Amino acid sequence: MDSADDSSLGPLTEDGQSAGFLDDGKNTIGSQLASRLREAIISGELEAGSKINLDKARKTFNVSLSPLREGLARLISDGLVEFQDNRGYRVAPISLANLEEVTSLREELEVFALRESMRLGDVEWEGNIMRALHRLNRTERDAARPETLEQWEALHREFHLTLISGCGKPLLLHFCSLLLNLNDRYRRVFLIRTSGDRNVGQEHSEIAQGAVARDVDYACEKLRQHIHRTGTNLRNHLATKGIE
Amino acid sequence: MDSADDSSLGPLTEDGQSAGFLDDGKNTIGSQLASRLREAIISGELEAGSKINLDKARKTFNVSLSPLREGLARLISDGLVEFQDNRGYRVAPISLANLEEVTSLREELEVFALRESMRLGDVEWEGNIMRALHRLNRTERDAARPETLEQWEALHREFHLTLISGCGKPLLLHFCSLLLNLNDRYRRVFLIRTSGDRNVGQEHSEIAQGAVARDVDYACEKLRQHIHRTGTNLRNHLATKGIE
DNA sequence: GCTTGACAGATAATCGATTATTTTTGTATT
DNA sequence: AATACAAAAATAATCGATTATCTGTCAAGC
């Protein structure tokens, strides 16, 4: 059938969300579900485009409809789930067109946000960048061990968000965070190894150093190229798998 | 108390949503609520920053919690409602900083979308612009008659969305639509008359004509100025009312 | 007088059951 | 065989009641 393969999705545990943000520990079931589902979608555990059967999901996660809908509603804001009245939810599909839009918008918005951050960011912002860079570059990605991939993805996301965190524009940050989610899904679904002619670690370093040195043109151009190369790389992998 | 003043909000009627988009008529209560609440927030009927008491709202609209939460969840995606676990919903607050961000992002995103539309848009896109422009310029705004204001707002929104509708980037359109919502709320809450030195009708005409003539630099600059002036205008009104 | 903690009322979250809608299946008709 | 329709099954939406959490109040202790 068309249903998402959720066979490996266990019931909810009490861990809440994982990544670096402070967790007030008072999460509702709906919140936990949102985190759990977000990770399941971004990691590819739930297949892109597949229908989400509420009844099955309810049983899988051992929850009632209310928090399930609650959680799914949040993923709609994230662009990871689509919804139609009386027809339910489905995992947002992937496509070449979507990937290209995500890449194009990242080039536009992330670069704009970086420019603004360089204009407004303070010393703490600079420090946060250097820390995020260091942690990222110290983490090895080993395709054989999935937990290192997850770890790397989290730190990579953190790095990109930190870069632009000084821009003072909450809405813009929200948009960028959303685009990053969508982008990361492509990378994780296609389990990309960076192509031979790239040294991603160095690319990150150049961006970061340009940023803290306030060399606006340099840093922005490096970031734009970084995003663009990732897009090209992913596009090739998509083409290989025959996705249009 | 802190609760939104919903005294004038009646129970749900079966009208569905109003503006020019095709309505499949099969809307759920949650959908209708979302439209109803969106309009209530943008029009200022629900005060910015006020708490939304679920129980009162439930009684006001004569619905159960489930569709109420459903509707509110959608407004979160729209940036019109904020939510915190176990602490409920509140109408998104307004502030000078938020207005400035909205203006700034509109300048960035709408102009980008217009540029892309001019690159990709076809003759139908051009036609849609001219129609939207004509309908907008034919509609008078009379502060004495609220229905003309609503009408004008709907057509104005339609015009701006049509301008950028040729860009071929659904996500970008979504962002712009969201920003337009936020922007329109400021205008409607502050019931702006355009300042004397502006002829908004002419501004719209210039943008539209530049767009269909494919004079990229001209049209984009006119649009940017148009957005910027609106921002400045609104900022002054905000300052007058003592909002920071 | 000020803080702390227990209680009560208010509010939000969740559940299980019911209702509405869609989708599938089977059958009769052309 | 293809189409159209009707009944049945599957699925989504909603409801009313229950449970969990939060917030304000008041009294006891310092």
Side-chain angles (χ1 to χ4, degrees):
Chain A
M1 250 277 139
D2 200 11
S3 269
D5 172 14
D6 49 13
S7 53
S8 69
L9 293 173
L12 240 47
T13 54
E14 76 290 357
D15 54 17
Q17 60 214 86
S18 48
F21 293 93
L22 44 156
D23 185 317
D24 51 4
K26 300 165 192 170
N27 285 351
T28 60
I29 298 179
S31 280
Q32 295 174 246
L33 264 175
S35 302
R36 187 87 182 67
L37 286 166
R38 182 180 296 111
E39 174 61 23
I41 292 173
I42 293 179
S43 73
E45 199 175 349
L46 288 177
E47 192 191 353
S50 63
K51 194 162 182 344
I52 298 171
N53 182 308
L54 291 176
D55 217 44
K56 285 178 193 155
R58 189 176 65 66
K59 284 164 187 157
T60 303
F61 291 108
N62 242 23
V63 297
S64 184
L65 269 335
S66 326
L68 184 55
R69 288 174 148 271
E70 195 84 26
L72 286 167
R74 301 204 199 167
L75 297 188
I76 294 174
S77 317
D78 288 353
L80 293 171
V81 164
E82 292 182 349
F83 172 81
Q84 244 192 319
D85 270 353
N86 285 320
R87 229 154 286 185
Y89 306 83
R90 68 173 54 236
V91 181
I94 58 179
S95 68
L96 189 54
N98 180 251
L99 170 63
E100 288 183 339
E101 181 180 3
V102 168
T103 301
S104 158
L105 292 183
R106 280 190 68 203
E107 287 185 42
E108 206 66 25
L109 298 195
E110 255 182 80
V111 169
F112 176 56
L114 176 59
R115 180 169 282 116
E116 291 291 282
S117 290
M118 292 176 72
R119 191 165 65 83
L120 298 170
D122 55 14
V123 178
E124 189 175 325
W125 168 71
E126 294 178 1
N128 290 339
I129 290 178
M130 296 317 286
R131 178 181 56 193
L133 175 68
H134 182 76
R135 298 211 300 160
L136 176 59
N137 281 344
R138 281 294 192 126
T139 302
E140 210 60 53
R141 255 168 117 201
D142 180 359
R145 287 182 306 159
E147 75 278 11
T148 67
L149 290 176
E150 271 186 40
Q151 176 76 357
W152 188 88
E153 287 292 341
L155 290 171
H156 182 246
R157 176 181 167 79
E158 182 80 14
F159 172 71
H160 275 276
L161 288 178
T162 304
L163 263 183
I164 60 178
S165 65
C167 72
K169 293 186 160 63
L171 272 168
L172 178 58
L173 284 173
H174 176 249
F175 292 159
C176 287
S177 159
L178 195 152
L179 291 169
L180 218 37
N181 266 345
L182 295 176
N183 187 77
D184 288 352
R185 181 163 68 135
Y186 283 97
R187 182 168 43 233
R188 290 179 69 169
V189 168
F190 294 100
L191 219 266
I192 299 301
R193 289 146 289 288
T194 54
S195 69
D197 59 340
R198 281 184 82 186
N199 182 336
V200 176
Q202 172 158 7
E203 288 180 25
H204 290 140
S205 298
E206 288 173 351
I207 298 165
Q209 272 150 25
V212 298
R214 311 279 168 160
D215 188 341
V216 176
D217 291 341
Y218 176 83
C220 287
E221 180 55 18
K222 287 290 178 187
L223 176 58
R224 206 195 55 70
Q225 286 175 2
H226 175 69
I227 294 168
H228 195 84
R229 285 194 192 120
T230 299
T232 305
N233 201 357
L234 284 168
R235 179 150 47 83
N236 293 338
H237 282 266
L238 237 62
T240 303
K241 309 254 178 173
I243 290 171
E244 54 188 35
Chain B
M1 248 276 142
D2 201 10
S3 269
D5 172 14
D6 49 12
S7 53
S8 68
L9 293 172
L12 239 47
T13 54
E14 77 288 359
D15 55 15
Q17 57 214 87
S18 49
F21 293 92
L22 44 156
D23 186 317
D24 52 4
K26 299 164 190 169
N27 285 351
T28 60
I29 298 179
S31 281
Q32 296 174 246
L33 264 176
S35 303
R36 187 86 182 66
L37 286 167
R38 182 180 297 110
E39 173 60 23
I41 292 174
I42 293 179
S43 72
E45 199 174 349
L46 288 177
E47 191 191 354
S50 63
K51 193 161 185 344
I52 297 171
N53 182 307
L54 291 177
D55 217 44
K56 285 178 192 155
R58 189 176 65 67
K59 285 165 186 158
T60 304
F61 291 106
N62 243 22
V63 297
S64 184
L65 269 334
S66 325
L68 184 56
R69 287 173 148 271
E70 197 83 25
L72 286 167
R74 300 203 199 168
L75 298 187
I76 294 173
S77 317
D78 289 353
L80 293 172
V81 164
E82 293 182 349
F83 171 81
Q84 245 192 318
D85 271 353
N86 286 319
R87 229 154 286 186
Y89 306 82
R90 67 173 55 235
V91 181
I94 58 178
S95 68
L96 189 54
N98 179 251
L99 170 63
E100 288 183 339
E101 182 180 2
V102 168
T103 301
S104 159
L105 292 182
R106 281 190 68 203
E107 287 185 42
E108 206 66 25
L109 297 194
E110 256 182 78
V111 169
F112 177 56
L114 176 59
R115 180 169 283 117
E116 290 292 282
S117 291
M118 292 176 72
R119 191 165 65 82
L120 299 169
D122 54 14
V123 178
E124 189 175 325
W125 167 72
E126 294 177 1
N128 290 339
I129 291 178
M130 296 318 286
R131 178 182 56 193
L133 175 68
H134 182 76
R135 298 213 299 160
L136 176 60
N137 281 344
R138 280 295 189 125
T139 302
E140 209 61 54
R141 257 168 116 201
D142 180 358
R145 286 182 306 158
E147 76 277 10
T148 68
L149 290 176
E150 270 185 42
Q151 175 76 356
W152 189 89
E153 286 292 339
L155 290 171
H156 182 246
R157 176 181 167 79
E158 182 81 12
F159 172 72
H160 274 276
L161 288 178
T162 304
L163 262 183
I164 61 178
S165 65
C167 73
K169 293 187 160 61
L171 272 169
L172 178 57
L173 284 173
H174 177 248
F175 293 159
C176 287
S177 159
L178 195 152
L179 291 169
L180 219 38
N181 266 345
L182 295 176
N183 187 76
D184 289 352
R185 181 164 66 136
Y186 283 98
R187 181 168 43 236
R188 289 179 71 170
V189 167
F190 294 99
L191 218 267
I192 299 302
R193 288 147 289 289
T194 54
S195 68
D197 59 339
R198 282 184 83 187
N199 182 336
V200 176
Q202 170 155 9
E203 287 180 25
H204 290 140
S205 298
E206 287 173 352
I207 298 165
Q209 272 150 25
V212 299
R214 312 278 169 163
D215 188 341
V216 177
D217 290 341
Y218 176 83
C220 287
E221 180 54 20
K222 286 291 179 188
L223 176 58
R224 205 194 57 70
Q225 286 174 3
H226 175 69
I227 294 168
H228 196 83
R229 284 194 192 118
T230 299
T232 305
N233 201 355
L234 284 167
R235 180 151 46 84
N236 293 339
H237 282 267
L238 238 62
T240 303
K241 308 254 180 173
I243 290 171
E244 53 187 38

